[in-house]
């Protein structure tokens, strides 16, 4: 049984749109990182569609695109979201790709090399924006001494600490509680009807 069968939210009715919108929301953010693994979620963001025990790196990137989906991973200090829009008959497959690293991650080191390069580039772009710098400093002062006060971006000095086991340990520690995970769908989700009756359905 898939973990997401415990937390499903759908909107009532059919708006006749051929497109559905999916979101996986995790009650986990950079505030859950430690000084030793700071930057893990930013690296994970760039490795999210990589290899798992059920797919290859190529499959993780190719299959959602073939479904017409663009999966986005956004990191915050206290919440992380994975969102996508896709044709409604592809929703089950797209959701599977969105969630594989929650249940069967691999995070191979040879794939993480590029993920860290991408994360550092994103850090450089973000911290060239004065508004982002002010927000980072405001959080540092407001939450000094805690995880919420650390940067949400990967720093160059911490890239060596982010390896396969670092991310596997972080995932095992923070993704194990289904009460911290919600799956939200907007539109007519055909696969919802096939879920077992034990599903807890939230109607928005």
């Amino acid at each position: 049984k898939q973990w997401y069968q415990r937390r499903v939210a759908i909107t009532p009715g059919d708006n006749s749109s051929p497109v559905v919108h999916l979101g996986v929301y995790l009650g986990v953010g950079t505030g859950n990182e430690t000084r030793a693994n700071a930057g893990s979620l930013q690296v994970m963001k760039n490795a999210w569609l990589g290899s798992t025990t059920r797919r290859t790196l190529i499959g993780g990137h190719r299959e959602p695109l073939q479904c017409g989906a663009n999966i986005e991973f956004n990191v915050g200090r206290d919440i992380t979201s994975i969102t996508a829009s896709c044709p409604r008959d592809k929703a089950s497959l797209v959701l599977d790709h969105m969630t594989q690293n929650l249940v069967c991650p691999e995070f191979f080191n040879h794939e993480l090399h590029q993920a860290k390069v991408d994360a550092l580039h994103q850090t450089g772009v973000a911290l060239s924006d004065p508004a982002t710098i002010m927000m980072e400093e405001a959080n540092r002062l407001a939450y000094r001494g805690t995880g919420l006060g650390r940067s949400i971006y990967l720093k160059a000095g911490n890239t060596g600490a982010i390896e396969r086991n670092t991310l596997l340990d972080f995932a095992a520690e923070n993704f194990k509680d289904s009460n911290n995970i919600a799956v939200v769908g907007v539109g007519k989700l055909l696969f919802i009807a096939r879920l077992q009756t034990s599903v807890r359905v939230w109607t928005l």
Side-chain angles (χ1 to χ4, degrees):
K1 185 170 68 172
Q2 298 285 2
W3 64 266
Y4 59 73
Q5 290 182 260
R6 306 175 194 172
R7 290 288 184 273
V8 178
I10 60 174
T11 59
D14 178 11
N15 59 10
S16 299
S17 172
V19 175
V20 297
H21 308 279
L22 303 170
V24 179
Y25 297 90
L26 315 176
V28 175
T30 57
N32 297 89
E33 297 175 347
T34 65
R35 189 178 300 276
N37 65 17
S40 291
L41 278 170
Q42 191 69 14
V43 175
M44 200 176 284
K45 165 185 177 176
N46 291 282
W48 197 252
L49 294 179
S51 299
T52 67
T53 60
R54 294 182 1 221
R55 73 176 179 216
T56 64
L57 172 65
I58 294 175
H61 287 269
R62 181 186 61 198
E63 291 181 10
L65 290 176
Q66 288 177 332
C67 293
N70 179 30
I71 298 175
E72 296 186 0
F73 189 109
N74 291 291
V75 178
R77 285 181 165 79
D78 55 3
I79 192 169
T80 296
S81 65
I82 306 143
T83 57
S85 297
C86 65
R88 63 187 183 189
D89 62 330
K90 303 294 185 181
S92 181
L93 178 59
V94 171
L95 182 60
D96 182 60
H97 280 288
M98 293 167 68
T99 57
Q100 280 195 31
N101 268 315
L102 293 176
V103 291
C104 54
E106 285 288 6
F107 297 124
F108 291 124
N109 279 326
H110 65 274
E111 296 179 12
L112 293 183
H113 173 74
Q114 185 60 47
K116 287 189 279 189
V117 170
D118 293 341
L120 287 175
H121 174 72
Q122 292 159 2
T123 297
V125 171
L127 296 183
S128 66
D129 177 14
T132 300
I133 296 173
M134 285 195 299
M135 184 60 69
E136 288 278 288
E137 185 65 12
N139 279 278
R140 186 186 70 81
L141 293 173
Y143 301 106
R144 64 180 67 196
T146 71
L148 291 173
R150 282 190 287 274
S151 175
I152 65 174
Y153 301 103
L154 175 68
K155 299 298 180 63
N158 216 38
T159 54
I162 310 299
E163 299 291 348
R164 179 173 189 259
N165 288 337
T166 312
L167 298 191
L168 290 177
D169 290 346
F170 184 88
E173 176 65 25
N174 292 284
F175 299 156
K176 63 185 178 182
D177 185 0
S178 65
N179 289 319
N180 287 334
I181 302 172
V183 178
V184 180
V186 178
K188 186 175 182 180
L189 301 177
L190 303 181
F191 72 96
I192 292 292
R194 298 198 294 271
L195 297 180
Q196 298 178 10
T197 56
S198 60
V199 174
R200 180 178 179 180
V201 176
W202 295 348
T203 301
L204 301 181

